[in-house]
Amino acid sequence: QSVLTQPPSVSGAPGQRVTISCTGSSSNIGAGYDVHWYQQLPGTAPKLLIYGNSNRPSGVPDRFSGSKSGTSASLAITGLQAEDEADYYCQSYDSSLGYVFGTGTKVTVL
Amino acid sequence: QLQLQESGPGLVKPSETLSLTCTVSGGSISSSSYYWGWIRQPPGKGLEWIGSIYYSGSTYYNPSLKSRVTISVDTSKNQFSLKLSSVTAADTAVYYCDVVSPENGAFDIWGQGTMVTVSS
């Protein structure tokens, strides 16, 4: 049972900007734990997209950016491309539950 | 660059124990400050952390699965394993082995995943 809440789906036309929210609580994001984001393309394992709230691993395009404030975090994709169509998950740590994931968001490129 | 590969039975009977192994290549499982662990994903659903083991041997489990889970390391084979007892259909999922890197604290590396179905 996910303790981090994400919208089930977001969509946008190629070139547009979309954002995905990740809402937690005082025992996870609000407690100061970092938020990480993963991209899961159909039929593949998740891939680390953003770590430490706003950092991109080597090779991740700068179209992807992350932020965190209070008990929430956000992932933004600017200049949306067809290859960005995937499921996206946020992840953090909870003082009672250990590592926790968001409910997941499906991004559709119109 | 570390690489992970899961292996184990794809079909387990209800009430039995699910056993999976993750083979590590590109580095030694005992020489780095990594957390080695397991995450699962039921068909069409989200990700669930199962548990992790520190290179020193300390284990950390999801409270909802703790009574049924054991994660261990075999340094001689450069592998770590998952055992999940008393399985039911709800344990049917793709199981991924993973690594939490000390550099970024995230699940940095994932195996390709292995599908396990619980059915008689």
Side-chain angles (χ1 to χ4, degrees):
Chain A
Q1 198 147 349
S2 301
V3 297
L4 304 180
T5 302
Q6 301 178 231
S9 63
V10 299
S11 61
Q16 284 191 329
R17 179 179 186 270
V18 297
T19 62
I20 301 170
S21 60
C22 174
T23 302
S25 68
S26 59
S27 63
N28 41 69
I29 299 175
Y33 295 110
D34 282 343
V35 177
H36 316 293
W37 291 89
Y38 303 86
Q39 178 193 57
Q40 186 175 32
L41 297 170
T44 69
K47 165 194 161 187
L48 181 62
L49 196 65
I50 296 286
Y51 68 90
N53 306 315
S54 59
N55 302 290
R56 287 185 306 277
S58 174
V60 172
D62 60 7
R63 303 185 290 106
F64 296 93
S65 62
S67 64
K68 172 189 162 183
S69 179
T71 58
S72 296
S74 292
L75 173 71
I77 310 174
T78 57
L80 194 64
Q81 299 183 5
E83 66 207 50
D84 299 333
E85 194 158 282
D87 293 326
Y88 293 81
Y89 294 90
C90 61
Q91 178 256 311
S92 186
Y93 186 85
D94 187 277
S95 56
S96 298
L97 303 174
Y99 293 112
V100 290
F101 286 94
T103 48
T105 298
K106 182 176 181 59
V107 170
T108 300
V109 182
L110 301 172
Chain B
Q1 172 74 348
L2 283 174
Q3 291 186 308
L4 309 178
Q5 178 66 59
E6 305 89 349
S7 60
L11 181 64
V12 181
K13 289 182 168 54
S15 80
E16 294 190 345
T17 297
L18 178 160
S19 296
L20 295 174
T21 297
C22 184
T23 300
V24 178
S25 58
S28 172
I29 199 170
S30 59
S31 65
S32 303
S33 301
Y34 291 106
Y35 286 85
W36 311 92
W38 296 89
I39 289 166
R40 70 180 182 178
Q41 185 173 35
K45 297 188 178 181
L47 301 166
E48 180 181 36
W49 172 68
I50 298 171
S52 301
I53 185 167
Y54 196 44
Y55 79 110
S56 62
S58 300
T59 52
Y60 307 87
Y61 299 134
N62 185 323
S64 69
L65 298 170
K66 186 175 183 177
S67 64
R68 299 194 291 131
V69 173
T70 302
I71 296 176
S72 59
V73 168
D74 186 338
T75 55
S76 66
K77 295 182 179 178
N78 221 35
Q79 296 175 334
F80 61 99
S81 64
L82 167 70
K83 291 189 185 302
L84 181 66
S85 64
S86 305
V87 297
T88 69
D91 295 309
T92 294
V94 175
Y95 285 76
Y96 297 98
C97 57
D98 61 79
V99 167
V100 175
S101 167
E103 281 83 27
N104 57 37
F107 294 107
D108 205 357
I109 301 168
W110 299 64
Q112 66 183 27
T114 187
M115 180 69 198
V116 179
T117 301
V118 178
S119 175
S120 55

